[in-house]
Amino acid sequence: MLKLFKLLGNKRLFVILIALVMFIALMGFTLGPRASLSWPEKFMRDTVGFVQNIFYKPAGYVAGLFKDIGNMREIYEENENLKIALAQYTREKATYNFIEEENKKLQEALKFTEAQMQKYNYSYHIAQVISVNSDPVNQSLVIDLGERDGVKVGQSVISVKGMVGVVSHVSNFTSTVKLITSMDAKDPNSNGIAATSMDNHQTFGIVESYDEASKMLLMNQIKEDDPIKKGDMIVSLGDTDKYPRGLIIGKVKSVEESKFGKTRTAMIQPEAEFQDWKLLFVVFTPEAPK
Amino acid sequence: MTIRKQVLLLLLFLLFIMEGTIVPWILPSSWQNVLMPNLVFIVLLFVSIYHNRHTALVLGIIFGMLHDVVFYGEMIGPFSLVMGFSTYIMGFIFRVRRAPMPLMMTVVILGSLLFDSMLYAIYRLFSLTQVTYDWNLLHHILPNLVLHFVFGLIIYVPLRKQLEKIASRERKEKAA
């Protein structure tokens, strides 16, 4: 140790140690939940976001063009499948309209308050991805909606296919989305998603962590007599005010006995593809009256 | 002389922007979650060896901070700390005037290893990641290393020329 002191010179070592302590303090301070960002941070994010916006879209178009040429053959087949899906959709739309109308009448008959009726009336705002973080542990995206557009911390973000993540920090014109692949039961900042199956609402579990090695989400606390089975589509339950109802999370790949017995754990293959980011939707829940 | 330095700064910023916007599109889709190229860091390693390690330290802290603030997922600080520290240490260990190419490539390899390992260590310390080091090494650090190495080879000739011009002019100014 003495030799090391001589090698570095006492003053330099001192400065390094102080810097190290400062950095660890900074990390510890910013790790917890923060109400809002300070103005230098906001300014930096918006300026960089503006420049990133100029680059990301054209790059996406060029890359997309090459991919489209590669995918030309698959388009015919895809078109066929879409036609079938559309026919199914039109049929179901008719039934849906009947049920919704009936539901509204029943709600009025039961004297639902305005807040109760509007509870599940979500709106989806389209957002353009403007850059992608290059760090797989702390995965995040930057989107071009910010405080000005009414985005708030904690809102869910979905892609066309399924749930992607949660807005983690907001500045005036951009916001950061923390992906659900960085979800972790041990992390105090990440909230588990109460989830159920799309076809069978008896199912209940909490999606709260992501296994990086197998690229699967883990759904815990499933009861032993739960009807969950392989291939079920898992959606968010929306009982808490953290997550809206009915966001698609993924398909069940396997169900296993949990480590401690008594409950089971399901491995869920996320529906959203965490690559080639383009358009996302921010889910706005109706304002709760105060 | 000062113009050349400002151009270097501007290029670093441009590289930082490209890292988040264009690089993900260039990589094949299946690699997008495997590779995490940090191109600014490689350029800073060159600055540290051929120009001045103190400049590299300051630039590392600034650009690391930029990365931390823009992609604010968990906390601010890890990139800033690791980028500053590892560029400085690499410059400190390899204090060679006019380092030849093989030596510079060794610096790129060691620096890349140090950078990713330290980043992993910090995330592990704050228990933000649960994977083991071996898994991380195989799936993130080594693929990254290859990419960094290739990038280092590409920028070696032009960057070294420019950096040595800056350094030699500064020496002349000091002598005068």
Side-chain angles (χ1 to χ4, degrees), chain B residues 43-101:
Chain B
V43 174
L44 289 184
L45 279 180
F46 277 82
V47 173
S48 176
I49 297 290
Y50 290 122
H51 182 48
N52 184 350
R53 60 176 185 278
H54 298 283
T55 320
L57 173 72
V58 173
L59 284 177
I61 288 175
I62 291 173
F63 276 95
M65 197 55 91
L66 195 66
H67 186 113
D68 279 328
V69 171
V70 171
F71 300 103
Y72 189 175
E74 297 278 4
M75 56 186 176
I76 287 180
F79 262 72
S80 187
L81 170 64
V82 172
M83 267 171 94
F85 182 76
S86 42
T87 43
Y88 182 79
I89 286 290
M90 286 337 264
F92 185 74
I93 295 172
F94 296 91
R95 269 179 295 186
V96 189
R97 273 187 178 273
R98 305 186 61 80
M101 184 167 174

Short mmCIF file of all heavy atoms in Angstrom, two decimals, chain B residues 43-101:
data_model
loop_
_atom_site.label_atom_id
_atom_site.label_comp_id
_atom_site.label_asym_id
_atom_site.label_seq_id
_atom_site.Cartn_x
_atom_site.Cartn_y
_atom_site.Cartn_z
N VAL B 43 -12.75 6.26 -28.74
CA VAL B 43 -12.06 7.48 -29.17
C VAL B 43 -11.32 8.11 -27.99
O VAL B 43 -10.18 8.56 -28.12
CB VAL B 43 -13.06 8.48 -29.78
CG1 VAL B 43 -12.37 9.79 -30.10
CG2 VAL B 43 -13.67 7.91 -31.04
N LEU B 44 -11.96 8.08 -26.82
CA LEU B 44 -11.31 8.66 -25.63
C LEU B 44 -10.05 7.88 -25.24
O LEU B 44 -9.10 8.47 -24.75
CB LEU B 44 -12.29 8.71 -24.47
CG LEU B 44 -13.40 9.75 -24.63
CD1 LEU B 44 -14.27 9.79 -23.40
CD2 LEU B 44 -12.81 11.11 -24.90
N LEU B 45 -10.06 6.57 -25.49
CA LEU B 45 -8.84 5.79 -25.23
C LEU B 45 -7.70 6.30 -26.11
O LEU B 45 -6.56 6.44 -25.65
CB LEU B 45 -9.09 4.30 -25.51
CG LEU B 45 -9.79 3.50 -24.43
CD1 LEU B 45 -9.94 2.06 -24.88
CD2 LEU B 45 -9.00 3.54 -23.14
N PHE B 46 -8.02 6.59 -27.37
CA PHE B 46 -7.00 7.13 -28.28
C PHE B 46 -6.50 8.47 -27.76
O PHE B 46 -5.30 8.75 -27.77
CB PHE B 46 -7.58 7.30 -29.70
CG PHE B 46 -7.55 6.04 -30.50
CD1 PHE B 46 -8.55 5.10 -30.36
CD2 PHE B 46 -6.54 5.81 -31.42
CE1 PHE B 46 -8.53 3.93 -31.10
CE2 PHE B 46 -6.52 4.65 -32.17
CZ PHE B 46 -7.52 3.71 -32.01
N VAL B 47 -7.44 9.31 -27.32
CA VAL B 47 -7.05 10.62 -26.79
C VAL B 47 -6.12 10.44 -25.61
O VAL B 47 -5.11 11.13 -25.47
CB VAL B 47 -8.31 11.43 -26.37
CG1 VAL B 47 -7.90 12.72 -25.67
CG2 VAL B 47 -9.17 11.74 -27.57
N SER B 48 -6.47 9.47 -24.76
CA SER B 48 -5.69 9.23 -23.55
C SER B 48 -4.26 8.79 -23.88
O SER B 48 -3.32 9.18 -23.20
CB SER B 48 -6.40 8.16 -22.72
OG SER B 48 -5.65 7.83 -21.60
N ILE B 49 -4.09 7.99 -24.92
CA ILE B 49 -2.75 7.48 -25.25
C ILE B 49 -1.96 8.51 -26.06
O ILE B 49 -0.81 8.81 -25.75
CB ILE B 49 -2.86 6.16 -26.05
CG1 ILE B 49 -3.53 5.08 -25.20
CG2 ILE B 49 -1.49 5.70 -26.52
CD1 ILE B 49 -2.72 4.57 -24.06
N TYR B 50 -2.57 9.06 -27.09
CA TYR B 50 -1.80 9.89 -28.03
C TYR B 50 -1.81 11.37 -27.66
O TYR B 50 -1.04 12.13 -28.20
CB TYR B 50 -2.33 9.72 -29.45
CG TYR B 50 -2.02 8.36 -30.01
CD1 TYR B 50 -3.02 7.51 -30.44
CD2 TYR B 50 -0.70 7.93 -30.07
CE1 TYR B 50 -2.73 6.26 -30.92
CE2 TYR B 50 -0.40 6.67 -30.54
CZ TYR B 50 -1.41 5.84 -30.97
OH TYR B 50 -1.12 4.61 -31.44
N HIS B 51 -2.73 11.78 -26.80
CA HIS B 51 -2.74 13.21 -26.49
C HIS B 51 -2.39 13.44 -25.02
O HIS B 51 -1.26 13.77 -24.68
CB HIS B 51 -4.10 13.80 -26.85
CG HIS B 51 -4.20 15.27 -26.62
ND1 HIS B 51 -3.23 16.14 -27.04
CD2 HIS B 51 -5.12 16.01 -26.00
CE1 HIS B 51 -3.56 17.36 -26.70
NE2 HIS B 51 -4.71 17.31 -26.05
N ASN B 52 -3.35 13.22 -24.16
CA ASN B 52 -3.12 13.56 -22.76
C ASN B 52 -4.18 12.84 -21.93
O ASN B 52 -5.37 12.94 -22.22
CB ASN B 52 -3.27 15.08 -22.63
CG ASN B 52 -2.96 15.54 -21.24
OD1 ASN B 52 -2.81 14.71 -20.33
ND2 ASN B 52 -2.87 16.84 -21.06
N ARG B 53 -3.76 12.12 -20.90
CA ARG B 53 -4.74 11.33 -20.16
C ARG B 53 -5.66 12.20 -19.30
O ARG B 53 -6.77 11.81 -18.99
CB ARG B 53 -4.07 10.26 -19.31
CG ARG B 53 -3.10 10.77 -18.28
CD ARG B 53 -2.59 9.61 -17.45
NE ARG B 53 -1.75 10.09 -16.37
CZ ARG B 53 -0.47 10.40 -16.50
NH1 ARG B 53 0.11 10.29 -17.68
NH2 ARG B 53 0.22 10.82 -15.48
N HIS B 54 -5.19 13.41 -18.94
CA HIS B 54 -6.06 14.27 -18.13
C HIS B 54 -7.22 14.82 -18.96
O HIS B 54 -8.35 14.89 -18.48
CB HIS B 54 -5.25 15.40 -17.52
CG HIS B 54 -4.18 14.90 -16.60
ND1 HIS B 54 -4.45 14.46 -15.32
CD2 HIS B 54 -2.86 14.70 -16.79
CE1 HIS B 54 -3.33 14.04 -14.75
NE2 HIS B 54 -2.34 14.16 -15.62
N THR B 55 -6.91 15.17 -20.21
CA THR B 55 -7.99 15.60 -21.12
C THR B 55 -9.00 14.47 -21.27
O THR B 55 -10.22 14.70 -21.23
CB THR B 55 -7.41 15.93 -22.50
OG1 THR B 55 -6.20 16.61 -22.33
CG2 THR B 55 -8.38 16.75 -23.32
N ALA B 56 -8.48 13.25 -21.43
CA ALA B 56 -9.37 12.09 -21.63
C ALA B 56 -10.24 11.88 -20.40
O ALA B 56 -11.42 11.56 -20.52
CB ALA B 56 -8.54 10.85 -21.91
N LEU B 57 -9.66 12.10 -19.23
CA LEU B 57 -10.42 11.94 -17.98
C LEU B 57 -11.61 12.90 -17.94
O LEU B 57 -12.75 12.51 -17.69
CB LEU B 57 -9.49 12.19 -16.79
CG LEU B 57 -10.13 12.24 -15.40
CD1 LEU B 57 -10.57 10.85 -14.98
CD2 LEU B 57 -9.18 12.81 -14.38
N VAL B 58 -11.31 14.17 -18.25
CA VAL B 58 -12.37 15.18 -18.20
C VAL B 58 -13.44 14.89 -19.25
O VAL B 58 -14.64 14.91 -18.96
CB VAL B 58 -11.76 16.59 -18.41
CG1 VAL B 58 -12.87 17.63 -18.53
CG2 VAL B 58 -10.84 16.93 -17.27
N LEU B 59 -12.99 14.57 -20.49
CA LEU B 59 -13.95 14.27 -21.55
C LEU B 59 -14.79 13.04 -21.19
O LEU B 59 -15.99 13.00 -21.45
CB LEU B 59 -13.21 14.02 -22.87
CG LEU B 59 -12.70 15.26 -23.58
CD1 LEU B 59 -11.92 14.86 -24.82
CD2 LEU B 59 -13.84 16.18 -23.96
N GLY B 60 -14.13 12.05 -20.59
CA GLY B 60 -14.85 10.82 -20.20
C GLY B 60 -15.94 11.13 -19.20
O GLY B 60 -17.07 10.64 -19.32
N ILE B 61 -15.61 11.97 -18.22
CA ILE B 61 -16.61 12.31 -17.20
C ILE B 61 -17.77 13.09 -17.84
O ILE B 61 -18.94 12.81 -17.58
CB ILE B 61 -15.96 13.12 -16.05
CG1 ILE B 61 -15.08 12.18 -15.23
CG2 ILE B 61 -17.02 13.76 -15.18
CD1 ILE B 61 -14.30 12.85 -14.14
N ILE B 62 -17.43 14.02 -18.76
CA ILE B 62 -18.48 14.83 -19.38
C ILE B 62 -19.40 13.97 -20.26
O ILE B 62 -20.63 14.01 -20.12
CB ILE B 62 -17.86 15.95 -20.23
CG1 ILE B 62 -17.18 16.98 -19.30
CG2 ILE B 62 -18.91 16.63 -21.09
CD1 ILE B 62 -16.40 18.03 -20.02
N PHE B 63 -18.80 13.15 -21.13
CA PHE B 63 -19.64 12.37 -22.04
C PHE B 63 -20.37 11.25 -21.32
O PHE B 63 -21.48 10.89 -21.68
CB PHE B 63 -18.82 11.85 -23.22
CG PHE B 63 -18.68 12.87 -24.30
CD1 PHE B 63 -17.57 13.68 -24.36
CD2 PHE B 63 -19.69 13.07 -25.22
CE1 PHE B 63 -17.45 14.65 -25.33
CE2 PHE B 63 -19.58 14.04 -26.19
CZ PHE B 63 -18.46 14.83 -26.25
N GLY B 64 -19.75 10.71 -20.27
CA GLY B 64 -20.44 9.72 -19.46
C GLY B 64 -21.67 10.32 -18.80
O GLY B 64 -22.74 9.73 -18.76
N MET B 65 -21.49 11.55 -18.30
CA MET B 65 -22.60 12.24 -17.64
C MET B 65 -23.74 12.49 -18.64
O MET B 65 -24.91 12.32 -18.33
CB MET B 65 -22.09 13.56 -17.06
CG MET B 65 -23.00 14.19 -16.03
SD MET B 65 -23.40 13.11 -14.68
CE MET B 65 -22.12 13.50 -13.54
N LEU B 66 -23.34 12.88 -19.86
CA LEU B 66 -24.33 13.11 -20.92
C LEU B 66 -25.15 11.85 -21.16
O LEU B 66 -26.38 11.87 -21.21
CB LEU B 66 -23.59 13.52 -22.19
CG LEU B 66 -24.41 14.14 -23.29
CD1 LEU B 66 -24.95 15.47 -22.83
CD2 LEU B 66 -23.57 14.33 -24.54
N HIS B 67 -24.44 10.72 -21.26
CA HIS B 67 -25.12 9.44 -21.48
C HIS B 67 -26.07 9.14 -20.31
O HIS B 67 -27.21 8.75 -20.50
CB HIS B 67 -24.08 8.33 -21.60
CG HIS B 67 -24.66 7.01 -21.97
ND1 HIS B 67 -24.42 6.40 -23.17
CD2 HIS B 67 -25.49 6.19 -21.30
CE1 HIS B 67 -25.07 5.26 -23.21
NE2 HIS B 67 -25.73 5.10 -22.10
N ASP B 68 -25.57 9.34 -19.10
CA ASP B 68 -26.37 9.04 -17.91
C ASP B 68 -27.65 9.87 -17.87
O ASP B 68 -28.71 9.36 -17.52
CB ASP B 68 -25.56 9.33 -16.65
CG ASP B 68 -24.62 8.19 -16.32
OD1 ASP B 68 -24.98 7.05 -16.62
OD2 ASP B 68 -23.54 8.45 -15.79
N VAL B 69 -27.52 11.15 -18.21
CA VAL B 69 -28.70 12.02 -18.10
C VAL B 69 -29.70 11.74 -19.21
O VAL B 69 -30.90 11.68 -18.97
CB VAL B 69 -28.26 13.51 -18.10
CG1 VAL B 69 -29.46 14.41 -18.20
CG2 VAL B 69 -27.50 13.82 -16.84
N VAL B 70 -29.18 11.53 -20.43
CA VAL B 70 -30.10 11.34 -21.55
C VAL B 70 -30.85 10.01 -21.43
O VAL B 70 -32.05 9.94 -21.64
CB VAL B 70 -29.34 11.43 -22.89
CG1 VAL B 70 -30.22 11.01 -24.03
CG2 VAL B 70 -28.85 12.84 -23.10
N PHE B 71 -30.14 8.94 -21.08
CA PHE B 71 -30.80 7.64 -20.94
C PHE B 71 -30.98 7.34 -19.46
O PHE B 71 -30.45 6.37 -18.94
CB PHE B 71 -29.95 6.54 -21.58
CG PHE B 71 -29.70 6.76 -23.03
CD1 PHE B 71 -28.49 7.23 -23.48
CD2 PHE B 71 -30.68 6.49 -23.96
CE1 PHE B 71 -28.26 7.42 -24.81
CE2 PHE B 71 -30.46 6.68 -25.30
CZ PHE B 71 -29.23 7.15 -25.73
N TYR B 72 -31.72 8.19 -18.79
CA TYR B 72 -31.83 8.07 -17.34
C TYR B 72 -32.82 6.97 -16.99
O TYR B 72 -34.01 7.18 -16.95
CB TYR B 72 -32.31 9.43 -16.80
CG TYR B 72 -32.29 9.58 -15.31
CD1 TYR B 72 -32.61 10.80 -14.74
CD2 TYR B 72 -31.96 8.54 -14.48
CE1 TYR B 72 -32.59 10.97 -13.38
CE2 TYR B 72 -31.94 8.69 -13.13
CZ TYR B 72 -32.27 9.91 -12.57
OH TYR B 72 -32.26 10.08 -11.23
N GLY B 73 -32.32 5.77 -16.77
CA GLY B 73 -33.21 4.68 -16.43
C GLY B 73 -33.22 4.44 -14.93
O GLY B 73 -34.25 4.52 -14.27
N GLU B 74 -32.06 4.15 -14.37
CA GLU B 74 -31.99 3.79 -12.95
C GLU B 74 -31.33 4.87 -12.13
O GLU B 74 -31.85 5.31 -11.12
CB GLU B 74 -31.18 2.49 -12.80
CG GLU B 74 -31.81 1.30 -13.48
CD GLU B 74 -32.89 0.67 -12.63
OE1 GLU B 74 -33.19 1.21 -11.57
OE2 GLU B 74 -33.43 -0.36 -13.06
N MET B 75 -30.14 5.27 -12.55
CA MET B 75 -29.42 6.26 -11.74
C MET B 75 -28.42 7.03 -12.60
O MET B 75 -28.07 6.59 -13.69
CB MET B 75 -28.70 5.57 -10.58
CG MET B 75 -27.77 4.47 -11.03
SD MET B 75 -27.13 3.62 -9.61
CE MET B 75 -26.18 2.33 -10.36
N ILE B 76 -27.97 8.14 -12.07
CA ILE B 76 -26.97 8.94 -12.76
C ILE B 76 -25.61 8.62 -12.17
O ILE B 76 -25.48 8.53 -10.96
CB ILE B 76 -27.28 10.45 -12.58
CG1 ILE B 76 -28.48 10.83 -13.42
CG2 ILE B 76 -26.09 11.30 -12.99
CD1 ILE B 76 -28.86 12.26 -13.32
N GLY B 77 -24.61 8.45 -12.99
CA GLY B 77 -23.27 8.29 -12.44
C GLY B 77 -22.43 7.16 -12.97
O GLY B 77 -21.25 7.36 -13.21
N PRO B 78 -23.00 5.95 -13.18
CA PRO B 78 -22.12 4.83 -13.53
C PRO B 78 -21.28 5.06 -14.79
O PRO B 78 -20.08 4.85 -14.76
CB PRO B 78 -23.08 3.65 -13.71
CG PRO B 78 -24.43 4.20 -13.64
CD PRO B 78 -24.38 5.51 -13.00
N PHE B 79 -21.91 5.53 -15.87
CA PHE B 79 -21.15 5.73 -17.11
C PHE B 79 -20.07 6.78 -16.91
O PHE B 79 -18.95 6.63 -17.37
CB PHE B 79 -22.08 6.13 -18.26
CG PHE B 79 -22.45 4.98 -19.13
CD1 PHE B 79 -23.31 4.02 -18.66
CD2 PHE B 79 -21.92 4.85 -20.40
CE1 PHE B 79 -23.66 2.94 -19.45
CE2 PHE B 79 -22.25 3.77 -21.19
CZ PHE B 79 -23.12 2.82 -20.72
N SER B 80 -20.44 7.85 -16.23
CA SER B 80 -19.50 8.94 -16.01
C SER B 80 -18.28 8.45 -15.24
O SER B 80 -17.14 8.67 -15.65
CB SER B 80 -20.23 10.04 -15.24
OG SER B 80 -19.45 11.16 -15.12
N LEU B 81 -18.53 7.76 -14.15
CA LEU B 81 -17.44 7.25 -13.33
C LEU B 81 -16.57 6.28 -14.12
O LEU B 81 -15.34 6.41 -14.15
CB LEU B 81 -18.03 6.55 -12.10
CG LEU B 81 -17.07 5.75 -11.23
CD1 LEU B 81 -16.03 6.66 -10.62
CD2 LEU B 81 -17.80 5.02 -10.13
N VAL B 82 -17.20 5.32 -14.78
CA VAL B 82 -16.45 4.25 -15.42
C VAL B 82 -15.67 4.78 -16.63
O VAL B 82 -14.51 4.43 -16.83
CB VAL B 82 -17.41 3.11 -15.82
CG1 VAL B 82 -16.70 2.10 -16.66
CG2 VAL B 82 -18.00 2.47 -14.60
N MET B 83 -16.30 5.66 -17.41
CA MET B 83 -15.61 6.18 -18.59
C MET B 83 -14.41 7.03 -18.18
O MET B 83 -13.33 6.89 -18.73
CB MET B 83 -16.56 7.01 -19.45
CG MET B 83 -17.20 6.18 -20.54
SD MET B 83 -18.50 7.07 -21.37
CE MET B 83 -17.63 7.75 -22.74
N GLY B 84 -14.60 7.90 -17.20
CA GLY B 84 -13.49 8.73 -16.75
C GLY B 84 -12.38 7.88 -16.19
O GLY B 84 -11.22 7.99 -16.59
N PHE B 85 -12.74 6.98 -15.29
CA PHE B 85 -11.74 6.18 -14.58
C PHE B 85 -10.96 5.29 -15.54
O PHE B 85 -9.73 5.26 -15.51
CB PHE B 85 -12.45 5.33 -13.52
CG PHE B 85 -11.52 4.50 -12.70
CD1 PHE B 85 -10.77 5.08 -11.70
CD2 PHE B 85 -11.41 3.14 -12.93
CE1 PHE B 85 -9.91 4.32 -10.93
CE2 PHE B 85 -10.54 2.36 -12.17
CZ PHE B 85 -9.79 2.96 -11.16
N SER B 86 -11.66 4.55 -16.42
CA SER B 86 -10.93 3.57 -17.22
C SER B 86 -10.06 4.24 -18.30
O SER B 86 -8.99 3.74 -18.59
CB SER B 86 -11.85 2.50 -17.80
OG SER B 86 -13.02 3.05 -18.28
N THR B 87 -10.51 5.37 -18.86
CA THR B 87 -9.62 6.04 -19.83
C THR B 87 -8.37 6.55 -19.10
O THR B 87 -7.26 6.43 -19.62
CB THR B 87 -10.30 7.25 -20.51
OG1 THR B 87 -11.00 7.99 -19.54
CG2 THR B 87 -11.23 6.82 -21.60
N TYR B 88 -8.55 7.08 -17.91
CA TYR B 88 -7.40 7.62 -17.17
C TYR B 88 -6.43 6.51 -16.82
O TYR B 88 -5.22 6.63 -17.03
CB TYR B 88 -7.89 8.32 -15.90
CG TYR B 88 -6.76 8.93 -15.11
CD1 TYR B 88 -6.21 10.14 -15.50
CD2 TYR B 88 -6.23 8.28 -14.00
CE1 TYR B 88 -5.16 10.70 -14.80
CE2 TYR B 88 -5.17 8.84 -13.30
CZ TYR B 88 -4.64 10.04 -13.70
OH TYR B 88 -3.61 10.59 -13.01
N ILE B 89 -6.97 5.40 -16.31
CA ILE B 89 -6.10 4.28 -15.90
C ILE B 89 -5.33 3.73 -17.09
O ILE B 89 -4.13 3.45 -17.01
CB ILE B 89 -6.95 3.16 -15.24
CG1 ILE B 89 -7.39 3.61 -13.85
CG2 ILE B 89 -6.19 1.87 -15.16
CD1 ILE B 89 -6.28 3.69 -12.83
N MET B 90 -6.00 3.59 -18.24
CA MET B 90 -5.31 3.06 -19.42
C MET B 90 -4.19 4.00 -19.84
O MET B 90 -3.09 3.57 -20.18
CB MET B 90 -6.29 2.86 -20.59
CG MET B 90 -7.23 1.69 -20.47
SD MET B 90 -6.74 0.37 -19.42
CE MET B 90 -6.01 -0.77 -20.47
N GLY B 91 -4.47 5.30 -19.79
CA GLY B 91 -3.43 6.26 -20.14
C GLY B 91 -2.30 6.27 -19.13
O GLY B 91 -1.14 6.51 -19.46
N PHE B 92 -2.64 5.98 -17.88
CA PHE B 92 -1.65 5.97 -16.81
C PHE B 92 -0.71 4.78 -16.92
O PHE B 92 0.50 4.88 -16.73
CB PHE B 92 -2.39 5.95 -15.47
CG PHE B 92 -1.49 6.07 -14.28
CD1 PHE B 92 -0.93 7.29 -13.97
CD2 PHE B 92 -1.21 4.96 -13.50
CE1 PHE B 92 -0.09 7.41 -12.87
CE2 PHE B 92 -0.37 5.08 -12.41
CZ PHE B 92 0.19 6.30 -12.10
N ILE B 93 -1.29 3.62 -17.26
CA ILE B 93 -0.47 2.40 -17.36
C ILE B 93 0.43 2.44 -18.59
O ILE B 93 1.61 2.15 -18.53
CB ILE B 93 -1.37 1.14 -17.39
CG1 ILE B 93 -2.12 1.02 -16.06
CG2 ILE B 93 -0.55 -0.10 -17.65
CD1 ILE B 93 -3.16 -0.06 -16.05
N PHE B 94 -0.17 2.82 -19.73
CA PHE B 94 0.61 2.80 -20.98
C PHE B 94 1.12 4.20 -21.31
O PHE B 94 0.59 4.87 -22.18
CB PHE B 94 -0.26 2.26 -22.12
CG PHE B 94 -0.67 0.84 -21.92
CD1 PHE B 94 -1.85 0.53 -21.28
CD2 PHE B 94 0.13 -0.20 -22.36
CE1 PHE B 94 -2.24 -0.78 -21.07
CE2 PHE B 94 -0.25 -1.51 -22.16
CZ PHE B 94 -1.44 -1.80 -21.51
N ARG B 95 2.13 4.62 -20.54
CA ARG B 95 2.68 5.95 -20.82
C ARG B 95 3.80 5.80 -21.84
O ARG B 95 4.98 5.85 -21.50
CB ARG B 95 3.19 6.58 -19.54
CG ARG B 95 2.11 7.41 -18.87
CD ARG B 95 2.63 7.99 -17.60
NE ARG B 95 2.93 6.91 -16.65
CZ ARG B 95 3.30 7.13 -15.40
NH1 ARG B 95 3.46 8.34 -14.95
NH2 ARG B 95 3.55 6.11 -14.59
N VAL B 96 3.44 5.58 -23.08
CA VAL B 96 4.45 5.36 -24.13
C VAL B 96 4.31 6.46 -25.16
O VAL B 96 3.21 6.75 -25.62
CB VAL B 96 4.22 4.00 -24.83
CG1 VAL B 96 5.39 3.68 -25.73
CG2 VAL B 96 4.01 2.91 -23.80
N ARG B 97 5.42 7.07 -25.52
CA ARG B 97 5.38 8.07 -26.58
C ARG B 97 5.26 7.37 -27.92
O ARG B 97 5.96 6.39 -28.16
CB ARG B 97 6.67 8.91 -26.55
CG ARG B 97 6.51 10.04 -25.60
CD ARG B 97 7.69 10.97 -25.67
NE ARG B 97 7.42 12.06 -24.75
CZ ARG B 97 6.74 13.14 -25.11
NH1 ARG B 97 6.32 13.29 -26.34
NH2 ARG B 97 6.48 14.08 -24.24
N ARG B 98 4.42 7.87 -28.78
CA ARG B 98 4.21 7.30 -30.11
C ARG B 98 3.98 5.79 -30.04
O ARG B 98 4.75 5.00 -30.61
CB ARG B 98 5.39 7.62 -31.01
CG ARG B 98 5.71 9.11 -31.10
CD ARG B 98 6.79 9.38 -32.12
NE ARG B 98 6.39 8.97 -33.45
CZ ARG B 98 5.60 9.69 -34.23
NH1 ARG B 98 5.14 10.84 -33.83
NH2 ARG B 98 5.30 9.27 -35.44
N ALA B 99 2.98 5.40 -29.33
CA ALA B 99 2.69 3.97 -29.17
C ALA B 99 2.40 3.34 -30.52
O ALA B 99 1.65 3.90 -31.31
CB ALA B 99 1.47 3.81 -28.26
N PRO B 100 3.00 2.17 -30.81
CA PRO B 100 2.73 1.49 -32.08
C PRO B 100 1.33 0.87 -32.09
O PRO B 100 0.67 0.78 -31.05
CB PRO B 100 3.80 0.42 -32.14
CG PRO B 100 4.16 0.17 -30.72
CD PRO B 100 3.98 1.45 -29.99
N MET B 101 0.92 0.45 -33.27
CA MET B 101 -0.46 -0.04 -33.43
C MET B 101 -0.81 -1.24 -32.54
O MET B 101 -1.88 -1.23 -31.92
CB MET B 101 -0.69 -0.40 -34.89
CG MET B 101 -2.10 -0.81 -35.16
SD MET B 101 -2.34 -0.83 -36.92
CE MET B 101 -3.95 -1.50 -37.01
#
